[in-house]
Amino acid sequence: MRLFTALALVTLAACTLGPSSPAHEIDEGLELGATLAIQSASPVLATVTIVPTVAFKSAVVETPNTTGGAQIACRFGTLVPGQRYTCTVTGNVADDDSGLVIAISGVRSVAVPGHDDRAFKAFTIPNPKFDAAAVRAAKQAKMKPRTTLDSREGASVR
């Protein structure tokens, strides 16, 4: 039981001591060395900085859920370890979407044994216009049972 408590405390400390940013990290992708600086949340204006720790054949920065469909913000060719690469990202999401996702994917120059040759990192920038209660109410309104001829009280089925 003590081991379980110790593990829970270590996990809690790791979650609380992590980097503080208004964006939420979705995946690690540590080899990409990606960071995000947000200038504006609605519409989103942000700068992605990539400082890879390993060589990459290529990398892409995209916004998969932006209004109007997925957009590629930047494409990079060869990424050299320790070099700094920046990409300005703009986009917006519908009012019923909780946030804009910025996804970074790269293809390693040398595959890691036992893994594929891709690395991923993603951030979600919360949508200030998102109203979770309104979205739930709209979904519930769509799910209301509808009266059919067979479901009315006293209806006889032949």
Side-chain angles (χ1 to χ4, degrees):
M1 188 63 157
R2 287 183 184 172
L3 179 62
F4 178 75
T5 305
L7 287 174
L9 288 174
V10 169
T11 303
L12 180 62
C15 292
T16 10
L17 297 176
S20 63
S21 168
H24 306 289
E25 293 185 34
I26 297 173
D27 198 358
E28 289 299 325
L30 295 175
E31 304 94 348
L32 287 163
T35 58
L36 181 69
I38 303 168
Q39 287 82 34
S40 169
S42 183
V44 169
L45 175 59
T47 302
V48 174
T49 303
I50 300 172
V51 183
T53 58
V54 298
F56 284 88
K57 292 179 187 176
S58 63
V60 175
V61 178
E62 59 187 320
T63 52
N65 69 328
T66 192
T67 305
Q71 298 290 318
I72 294 179
C74 298
R75 288 182 193 270
F76 297 102
T78 303
L79 299 179
V80 178
Q83 286 282 81
R84 182 185 192 101
Y85 304 88
T86 60
C87 175
T88 300
V89 179
T90 59
N92 211 350
V93 292
D95 290 348
D96 64 348
D97 198 333
S98 63
L100 180 72
V101 175
I102 297 175
I104 304 118
S105 60
V107 179
R108 292 184 197 91
S109 294
V110 177
V112 176
H115 299 280
D116 62 11
D117 60 347
R118 298 190 181 273
F120 300 97
K121 176 85 172 178
F123 300 95
T124 301
I125 301 173
N127 180 1
K129 297 177 185 175
F130 179 69
D131 182 357
V135 171
R136 275 193 305 275
K139 284 183 181 177
Q140 285 178 346
K142 284 183 181 180
M143 299 299 291
K144 281 188 178 179
R146 297 191 177 139
T147 304
T148 63
L149 291 175
D150 292 337
S151 64
R152 287 186 307 185
E153 285 186 38
S156 61
V157 179
R158 296 181 189 205

